[in-house]
Amino acid sequence: FGGGNNLAAQSAQGNQLFFLNGDTLFIEPILIKIDHYFETLTSSHPSKSQIIAPQILLENRQPQPFAFGSFPSLINLLTQSEKKFWQNYSLLSSSDPPFSVDWVTGAAFIIDKFAFEKIKGFDEAYFMYYEDIDLCARFTQVFGHAHIQVLPSVPIIHLGGKSIQLNRERQKLYFNAQDNYFSKHFPQWQSRLLKLIRAPYE
């Protein structure tokens, strides 16, 4: 996933990059809205790089769970704070204003090409999963918090899970990516503790 997007980004000619999964559907012309919002931000804050994401919906037009969130940590996993975080946004309306988050799904988002190149794009060590969270973490380290936003007024449908249908294979890839993320962003003892906590699920 990351390697393919990095390759495409090298050929892109614009000032912004719009990453979009193949299993997404437009239900209205969202590009004009995203571009307008993006340009408004950059014109008022020329030096402020941004990641902007549409509101991700399921096929039934309900918000997709965990399409954005707070950065993973052992505390978040143990307290299930990610679920609590999502519950606060589970009833999003298209009339809600944009809001800031730690990370957005790689299924659909737009980013400054300059910023993408500065953080060296997606980390290709991730085969699938967590590459979007890792990218947002590195983006935040360089450009600061509150630079990643979701636009509830811009909806897009994400069919989801179409790349790999087997749950066991998806779980294996997810856990491998999770190990990679924790070993990269946290001390080694936390990575070891994560595996112990996760053992019953494997």
Side-chain angles (χ1 to χ4, degrees), residues 159-178:
L159 301 177
K162 303 303 181 182
S163 299
I164 296 180
Q165 297 287 351
L166 298 177
N167 288 334
R168 183 175 298 178
E169 182 65 17
R170 292 178 62 188
Q171 184 186 62
K172 180 180 178 181
L173 289 171
Y174 182 86
F175 286 155
N176 286 342
Q178 190 178 59

Side-chain angles (χ1 to χ4, degrees), residues 71-73 123 126 130-141 177-188 190-191:
F71 287 131
S73 68
D123 183 344
Y126 297 89
Y130 268 85
E131 67 285 303
D132 42 14
I133 301 177
D134 175 78
L135 181 139
C136 289
R138 289 182 288 113
F139 177 90
T140 299
Q141 290 168 4
Q178 190 178 59
D179 286 340
N180 190 10
Y181 180 86
F182 270 78
S183 64
K184 180 176 180 180
H185 294 278
F186 295 96
Q188 189 176 33
Q190 291 198 32
S191 298

Side-chain angles (χ1 to χ4, degrees), residues 30-177:
I30 68 170
L31 292 177
I32 295 176
K33 288 185 177 180
I34 292 179
D35 186 61
H36 175 72
Y37 185 73
F38 204 96
E39 292 299 328
T40 300
L41 286 175
T42 54
S43 62
S44 57
H45 301 88
S47 62
K48 186 176 180 180
S49 293
Q50 297 282 344
I51 292 179
I52 303 298
Q55 181 183 0
I56 309 295
L57 304 178
L58 300 171
E59 290 182 79
N60 61 6
R61 307 297 177 92
Q62 296 300 308
Q64 177 181 302
F66 311 115
F68 51 84
S70 54
F71 287 131
S73 68
L74 281 180
I75 294 177
N76 286 351
L77 292 176
L78 290 171
T79 61
Q80 296 187 326
S81 63
E82 192 69 9
K83 290 183 179 180
K84 298 174 184 176
F85 178 92
W86 170 251
Q87 289 172 355
N88 293 331
Y89 293 102
S90 60
L91 299 176
L92 279 173
S93 167
S94 60
S95 61
D96 289 335
F99 56 92
S100 298
V101 294
D102 283 348
W103 63 268
V104 294
T105 176
F109 73 88
I110 186 172
I111 182 175
D112 297 291
K113 187 174 184 181
F114 163 79
F116 186 79
E117 292 175 343
K118 186 174 181 62
I119 62 175
K120 302 186 185 305
F122 286 100
D123 183 344
E124 298 182 20
Y126 297 89
F127 177 75
M128 184 179 290
Y129 302 121
Y130 268 85
E131 67 285 303
D132 42 14
I133 301 177
D134 175 78
L135 181 139
C136 289
R138 289 182 288 113
F139 177 90
T140 299
Q141 290 168 4
V142 175
F143 298 102
H145 287 278
H147 291 221
I148 302 175
Q149 296 190 350
V150 175
L151 302 185
S153 63
V154 181
I156 190 170
I157 292 177
H158 182 214
L159 301 177
K162 303 303 181 182
S163 299
I164 296 180
Q165 297 287 351
L166 298 177
N167 288 334
R168 183 175 298 178
E169 182 65 17
R170 292 178 62 188
Q171 184 186 62
K172 180 180 178 181
L173 289 171
Y174 182 86
F175 286 155
N176 286 342

